[in-house]
Amino acid sequence: MKDSILILSGGMDSTTLLYDYQDRIALALSFDYGSNHNARELPFARLHCERLGIEHITINLDFMSRHFESSLLSGASDIPEGHYEDENMRSTVVPFRNGIMLSIAVGMAESRGLKHVMMANHGGDHAIYPDCRAAFVDAFSQAAQAGTYDGIDLVSPYTGLTKGDIARRGKALGIDYAETWSCYKGGDVHCGRCGTCIERREALAEAGIEDHTEYEK
């Protein structure tokens, strides 16, 4: 039954969730919030929705780039290089980004008579991003249920998985990850050095997937 809305960025994780749960997803929502890499991600989000025949909507949240502080919003040169476990990666946090996007998705779900909102957070996000952790997922889901007549909840099936686990699911689903975007710098090709590029490379290698991503030399 098509009873869910998915937050879809066009990256590896949400694209995998799109294919994994396509039978349940009635609508995929993407958000243009002025990040360095939105322009690179969003075409892939549209591509996969068109391929699967799933409705896709992009919502503009440009106020975030004007009023929020994050290196993800301030230019490619501000993006730190290194592993996600490094302290400097905290600068890429966009304050309460998931909370804002999920709130909009819950409103959309109730307006359309849908029962669930889905997002593709995973275990590798937990150290850096507070609004990806299990405690946030549980609390937000309870708030959404309490704040809607239909008791809409948040479904996040990858919360306990690693990026490598997700890549293995994608491999089984036949996803071509070259048709996804990860790099926070948002250049013509992936930089290969920022936290999300490193995590991408490690996950593909762990899953035994040949990496066809184009990286800077």
Side-chain angles (χ1 to χ4, degrees):
M1 177 184 291
K2 299 270 188 176
D3 58 2
S4 303
I5 287 180
L6 169 66
I7 305 294
L8 178 67
S9 69
M12 284 181 62
D13 310 320
S14 61
T15 299
T16 304
L17 192 58
L18 178 75
Y19 280 85
D20 204 359
Y21 286 80
Q22 60 185 284
D23 292 340
R24 291 184 55 180
I25 297 167
L27 171 66
L29 280 183
S30 298
F31 296 92
D32 187 348
Y33 56 98
S35 77
N36 303 326
H37 63 308
N38 273 157
R40 304 294 295 167
E41 286 184 316
L42 293 173
F44 286 125
R46 287 192 296 271
L47 168 71
H48 292 292
C49 286
E50 289 171 0
R51 187 172 290 165
L52 295 176
I54 293 172
E55 183 182 0
H56 176 250
I57 295 174
T58 298
I59 294 177
N60 191 304
L61 298 178
D62 62 345
F63 71 89
M64 295 174 73
S65 64
R66 296 197 306 271
H67 301 297
F68 289 19
E69 291 294 326
S70 170
S71 62
L72 206 61
L73 306 173
S74 60
S77 62
D78 291 335
I79 296 295
E81 296 180 356
H83 201 278
Y84 259 139
E85 295 178 0
D86 297 341
E87 182 68 19
N88 63 356
M89 290 304 296
R90 289 186 63 177
S91 76
T92 64
V93 173
V94 179
F96 208 60
R97 174 183 59 180
N98 285 344
I100 293 165
M101 295 176 180
L102 288 167
S103 295
I104 293 169
V106 168
M108 292 279 287
E110 187 156 52
S111 296
R112 290 183 173 226
L114 301 172
K115 301 299 183 184
H116 312 285
V117 170
M118 306 184 78
M119 76 169 181
N121 60 305
H122 63 87
D125 296 328
H126 297 176
I128 300 295
Y129 301 108
D131 57 359
C132 288
R133 297 171 187 162
F136 168 81
V137 170
D138 293 342
F140 187 93
S141 188
Q142 291 176 24
Q145 290 175 71
T148 54
Y149 282 114
D150 294 333
I152 294 163
D153 65 354
L154 173 57
V155 179
S156 55
Y158 294 168
T159 298
L161 302 185
T162 68
K163 189 95 166 184
D165 293 331
I166 294 171
R168 279 188 285 270
R169 284 188 183 234
K171 182 179 181 180
L173 292 164
I175 296 171
D176 180 1
Y177 283 121
E179 296 179 330
T180 64
W181 186 267
S182 297
C183 182
Y184 277 170
K185 296 192 177 187
D188 291 335
V189 298
H190 286 69
C191 75
R193 300 181 303 277
C194 69
T196 188
C197 277
I198 292 171
E199 186 186 48
R200 177 190 182 95
R201 298 174 95 155
E202 290 177 347
L204 293 173
E206 183 182 329
I209 298 171
E210 187 174 354
D211 190 353
H212 297 293
T213 307
E214 186 177 0
Y215 296 102
E216 288 181 2
K217 304 299 182 185

